[in-house]
Amino acid sequence: MKGHWAKYALTGAFIALLAGCSSKPTDRGQQYIDGKLEQPLGLVNQPNAKGRPVNGKDFGDQVVQIQTASSGLFGRNNGTYSAVQNWLLSGADTRQLNQFGLNAYQMEGTDNYGNVQFTGYYTPVVEARYTRQGEFQYPIYRMPPRPRGQKLPSRASIYSGGLDDRYIIAYSNSLIDNFMMDVQGSGYVDFGDGRPLRFFGYGGKNGWAYHSIGKELIDRGEVKREDMSMQAIRQWAQEHSPQEVRSVLETNQSFVFFKPEEYVPVRGASAVPLIAKASVASDRSLIPAGTVLLAEVPQLNEKGKFNGKYEMRLMVALDVGGAIKGQHFDIYQGVGPDAAHLAGFYNHYGRVWVLKAAPGTGQPMFSNPQNGNNGSLLLGSN
């Protein structure tokens, strides 16, 4: 794992990961209008979608980042990228995809009716200092040596000083901020000295199993299941003592370490800088890196509720996440508190079509994985 990757092994799919549960709400964008779909990715002549993508420029910027950072990934998908760009320049009418040599494959969704799950993740900015002082009392650690076949100290042990101070790389003013950066797997740190932000990339884990804090709060009756979100966890933390917050966090014995770097762009598992709302984390057994998605994304109001409207977006699969499986995407929302606000609410549903340049004669679009359970399909290369 590279330290500058956004979240190679962890994801900010806050609701899915923090709550540790699944549900079938009725107000999160499920549409149920396309009839039952019989395969994970089904070729359709024309997507049953209205409107045009709202982020054509961001998609173009994301493709440029791919071209600059990964010539191999760009080369394998350039036929699709070029066709999509031409389609955008010509008005982006979904009825005309075939005219630009593009096939559209609709995803069956989590319910086989086309409803694909969307969550969100972001890159936090944490205030910190180099030494313990004033309100800055909460250590952030780099990865210590891990004996082969052994675990490092648990979260509770680390909070109690179970690691040597020489592994401390900063002191923040918020234990819950440290935890949120832990969940995201990386973040920017502002040392308050006027210098550029430092990027704290993913440095490793202590080897203990992850336990959902969201589920813990639900089980304790502290937060209702239907109200669970990142904001709900923060609100709970603000209303309780540092000792109570620490006690709950310690139920998750898993702990993430970080590696300081100079200011660098946030990169996904493909080592490509991520453009907000134009990149997603995906399950690579179904959606390989570099895949282009046309997504009908539900819009949320300021309280995180579905407002009944959707917007079309073009996005590229460039990241992965432990909680991202099957018909589920984690949308990268960007850096800082505004991105955190939106990422913390997203656990909604929309429709997704995989766009792929039509293959040459005799070239299969899909190949079945040898161990393929649930009929999973792999997208072929150009």
Side-chain angles (χ1 to χ4, degrees):
M1 300 179 187
K2 301 296 184 183
H4 58 278
W5 290 1
K7 54 172 192 49
Y8 185 86
L10 297 175
T11 179
F14 271 108
I15 313 303
L17 188 59
L18 292 176
C21 58
S22 62
S23 61
K24 293 184 178 180
T26 58
D27 61 348
R28 291 181 173 172
Q30 296 95 322
Q31 298 164 91
Y32 303 102
I33 62 175
D34 294 332
K36 188 170 183 179
L37 304 175
E38 301 296 337
Q39 51 187 321
L41 290 159
L43 179 63
V44 294
N45 290 327
Q46 295 179 1
N48 181 20
K50 297 179 180 179
R52 292 170 171 79
V54 299
N55 67 332
K57 181 183 182 301
D58 288 342
F59 173 78
D61 291 344
Q62 186 66 83
V63 170
V64 169
Q65 294 291 351
I66 296 170
Q67 183 177 16
T68 302
S70 179
S71 59
L73 188 64
F74 179 78
R76 290 191 296 273
N77 294 279
N78 188 30
T80 299
Y81 300 153
S82 296
V84 171
Q85 297 271 24
N86 290 334
W87 173 66
L88 282 169
L89 290 172
S90 299
D93 187 337
T94 56
R95 296 170 298 180
Q96 298 177 352
L97 284 167
N98 286 343
Q99 296 178 28
F100 293 87
L102 287 166
N103 286 334
Y105 296 80
Q106 184 171 2
M107 299 188 68
E108 67 178 348
T110 59
D111 57 1
N112 303 113
Y113 282 84
N115 294 287
V116 177
Q117 184 180 11
F118 293 116
T119 48
Y121 72 105
Y122 77 109
T123 305
V125 177
V126 175
E127 293 186 34
R129 298 293 182 265
Y130 293 104
T131 59
R132 178 176 267 135
Q133 55 186 275
E135 62 180 347
F136 296 91
Q137 296 292 319
Y138 303 101
I140 302 172
Y141 292 89
R142 65 180 173 89
M143 182 78 175
R146 181 174 173 178
R148 184 181 296 274
Q150 297 183 30
K151 297 177 181 178
L152 290 167
S154 67
R155 180 180 296 273
S157 177
I158 292 172
Y159 283 172
S160 297
L163 286 178
D164 194 288
D165 285 357
R166 69 178 182 272
Y167 300 117
I168 297 174
I169 51 179
Y171 292 89
S172 87
N173 59 355
S174 170
L175 191 62
I176 199 71
D177 280 355
N178 287 7
F179 178 76
M180 292 301 182
M181 187 166 70
D182 182 312
V183 172
Q184 296 299 319
S186 66
Y188 288 112
V189 174
D190 182 357
F191 282 103
D193 54 6
R195 297 180 183 179
L197 302 180
R198 293 292 301 276
F199 186 72
F200 277 27
Y202 177 83
K205 294 174 65 177
N206 63 347
W208 291 75
Y210 182 89
H211 174 72
S212 166
I213 296 304
K215 186 174 186 303
E216 183 72 25
L217 291 174
I218 291 171
D219 290 346
R220 293 186 180 197
E222 298 284 348
V223 179
K224 294 179 180 179
R225 185 179 300 273
E226 60 270 22
D227 293 334
M228 177 51 64
S229 68
M230 180 185 70
Q231 284 79 2
I233 293 175
R234 283 192 177 277
Q235 182 67 33
W236 178 89
Q238 291 172 3
E239 295 171 353
H240 291 76
S241 70
Q243 294 76 19
E244 291 173 304
V245 172
R246 172 175 164 171
S247 176
V248 169
L249 296 183
E250 285 180 351
T251 64
N252 175 26
Q253 299 284 31
S254 177
F255 194 89
V256 171
F257 303 99
F258 298 96
K259 182 170 66 173
E261 303 179 42
E262 297 303 321
Y263 188 96
V264 295
V266 178
R267 299 174 186 260
S270 299
V272 173
L274 303 179
I275 302 296
K277 301 180 184 179
S279 60
V280 300
S282 69
D283 180 348
R284 286 195 172 170
S285 69
L286 181 65
I287 305 295
T291 300
V292 177
L293 309 170
L294 177 64
E296 194 172 55
V297 181
Q299 296 182 8
L300 309 185
N301 63 23
E302 67 280 358
K303 296 182 179 180
K305 302 299 183 183
F306 174 51
N307 67 7
K309 300 179 181 179
Y310 301 83
E311 62 185 11
M312 299 298 296
R313 287 190 169 272
L314 282 165
M315 299 183 288
V316 184
L318 292 171
D319 213 348
V320 298
I324 310 305
K325 303 297 182 185
Q327 307 272 326
H328 177 186
F329 294 103
D330 210 16
I331 303 174
Y332 180 62
Q333 300 292 341
V335 179
D338 289 343
H341 183 78
L342 191 56
F345 282 132
Y346 252 110
N347 185 24
H348 294 72
Y349 297 82
R351 293 183 294 177
V352 176
W353 296 267
V354 171
L355 302 184
K356 191 75 174 173
T361 303
Q363 294 180 352
M365 178 61 67
F366 301 110
S367 60
N368 287 313
Q370 306 212 341
N371 62 348
N373 52 10
N374 345 320
S376 294
L377 301 175
L378 293 176
L379 283 170
S381 300
N382 284 340

